Amino acid sequence: RSLSLLTIVGNHIGIALERAELFDALKEKRVNEQAALLDFSNQLLRRLDREDLTRQLVSQIAGLLEADACSLLLAEEGNRWLKFVAASGWKQDPVELERRVPLEGGSGPGWVMRFQRPLLVEDLQKSDPTSWSPAWLQTEGFRGHAVVPLVVEDHAIGALVMNNRSPRRLADDEVRLLQLMANQAAIAIETARLHSEGIERLRMEQELDIGRQM
């Protein structure tokens, strides 16, 4: 009986130690996550050039979440299409090839834009809730798939896509981190857009002033 009691006590101590180690690991991961997000935010806010900003964005996210590929799509005028503006880890660069994704017609980014909710797929070969899958996308061999919206003032301006070439479903904390990064990116992209429009407006005003002086 004493041996059984010691065994039970030993098991409880072992479980308690495992839980303590898990708690410490999660706490450390949360601290690392917050530090990465802060650094990510600071880097984004220092970049007012949209092309530079979006390249940095996909590269950072692919590294932080250990993804095989990451891409950013923004809505074009008229909101009928989403255009690739940055990509990392693709076999064929969708930006260089000017790839576009329809907002309608069953595309994952389009679905995320409309409903402003993340789309998570562990294995696209086994379960794909979306129907849009062109040949050029299939050649990439993506399996694990995660898409989150970029939202500014309740308005979706684009989608952030993370892919892996083996099955993978993001954990809740990874989804949270991806969404936080997307939120930061949306603000930074909107800031860059307003900055660019401000420069263009100033240039036009200067040209008008020159014209009036002449």
Side-chain angles (χ1 to χ4, degrees), residues 164-179:
N164 283 275
R165 292 187 171 88
S166 58
R168 177 185 177 185
R169 184 178 178 86
L170 294 185
D172 289 344
D173 60 331
E174 291 176 316
V175 176
R176 184 180 64 252
L177 179 59
L178 187 63
Q179 187 64 75

Side-chain angles (χ1 to χ4, degrees), residues 8-24:
I8 292 170
V9 171
N11 287 339
H12 280 292
I13 291 173
I15 292 170
L17 288 172
E18 286 179 0
R19 286 179 176 174
E21 290 175 358
L22 178 59
F23 177 77
D24 287 341

Side-chain angles (χ1 to χ4, degrees), residues 7 11-12 30 38 45-46 53 55 62 64 72 82 91 98 106 115 123 139 147 166 170 176 188 195 204 207 210-211:
T7 301
N11 287 339
H12 280 292
R30 184 64 53 81
L38 179 60
L45 292 174
R46 285 197 301 266
L53 172 69
R55 277 200 306 265
L64 283 170
L72 176 69
L82 288 165
K91 296 175 183 176
E98 298 183 351
F115 295 102
D123 190 349
T139 60
V147 191
S166 58
L170 294 185
R176 184 180 64 252
H195 177 73
M204 292 180 66
E207 288 182 355
I210 293 172

Side-chain angles (χ1 to χ4, degrees), residues 33-51:
E33 175 185 303
Q34 291 173 350
L37 183 62
L38 179 60
D39 179 63
F40 178 74
S41 177
N42 289 335
Q43 289 191 53
L44 289 183
L45 292 174
R46 285 197 301 266
R47 289 173 164 79
L48 291 176
D49 177 79
R50 197 183 80 170
E51 187 174 338

Side-chain angles (χ1 to χ4, degrees), residues 23-95:
F23 177 77
D24 287 341
L26 288 173
K27 186 165 66 174
E28 181 180 353
K29 184 175 182 180
R30 184 64 53 81
V31 170
N32 291 338
E33 175 185 303
Q34 291 173 350
L37 183 62
L38 179 60
D39 179 63
F40 178 74
S41 177
N42 289 335
Q43 289 191 53
L44 289 183
L45 292 174
R46 285 197 301 266
R47 289 173 164 79
L48 291 176
D49 177 79
R50 197 183 80 170
E51 187 174 338
D52 180 38
L53 172 69
T54 53
R55 277 200 306 265
Q56 180 68 17
L57 167 66
V58 295
S59 177
Q60 283 273 359
I61 291 177
L64 283 170
L65 291 174
E66 299 178 347
D68 291 328
C70 184
S71 55
L72 176 69
L73 300 93
L74 294 178
E76 293 186 315
E77 287 189 25
N79 286 339
R80 292 184 57 193
W81 297 90
L82 288 165
K83 181 181 179 181
F84 282 90
V85 295
S88 172
W90 286 60
K91 296 175 183 176
Q92 295 183 318
D93 187 353
V95 179

